[in-house]
């Protein structure tokens, strides 16, 4: 998943807007943010628990990734 790559490679939190622009370059900002919300909602529970989120930012809990079963994704 590109979302995971972005979060794993980031040194800290990444704004939702930045992620939306990277993943949905050809759509307007509101649509890109809506797509990001849908993507987060549909992630496997194991991945959802590894992602920390605030209203404006997302970050990966790198320690939580060690417990994530890749085959369940």
């Amino acid at each position: 998943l590109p979302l995971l790559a972005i979060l794993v490679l980031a040194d800290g939190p990444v704004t939702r807007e930045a992620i939306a622009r990277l993943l949905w370059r050809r759509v307007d900002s509101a649509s890109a943010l809506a797509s990001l919300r849908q993507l987060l909602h549909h992630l496997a529970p194991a991945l959802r628990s590894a992602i920390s989120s605030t209203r404006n930012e997302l970050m990966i809990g790198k320690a939580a990734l060690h417990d994530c079963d890749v085959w369940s994704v």
Side-chain angles (χ1 to χ4, degrees), residues 7 10-15 57-60:
L7 295 176
D11 288 332
V14 183
T15 65
E57 298 177 325
L58 298 173
M59 82 181 281
I60 196 86

Side-chain angles (χ1 to χ4, degrees), residues 13-73:
V14 183
T15 65
R16 289 175 180 254
E17 280 192 18
I19 294 169
R21 277 194 312 264
L22 285 169
L23 297 179
W24 294 277
R25 293 178 186 206
R26 296 183 179 165
V27 299
D28 63 276
S29 180
S31 296
L33 287 168
S35 294
L36 178 58
R37 283 191 301 274
Q38 287 181 334
L39 174 64
L40 291 168
H41 177 75
H42 288 96
L43 282 178
L47 290 178
R48 260 186 270 145
S49 65
I51 297 174
S52 300
S53 66
T54 67
R55 180 178 168 95
N56 298 315
E57 298 177 325
L58 298 173
M59 82 181 281
I60 196 86
K62 292 186 172 98
L65 281 180
H66 293 286
D67 298 328
C68 181
D69 179 8
V70 150
W71 300 111
S72 69
V73 178

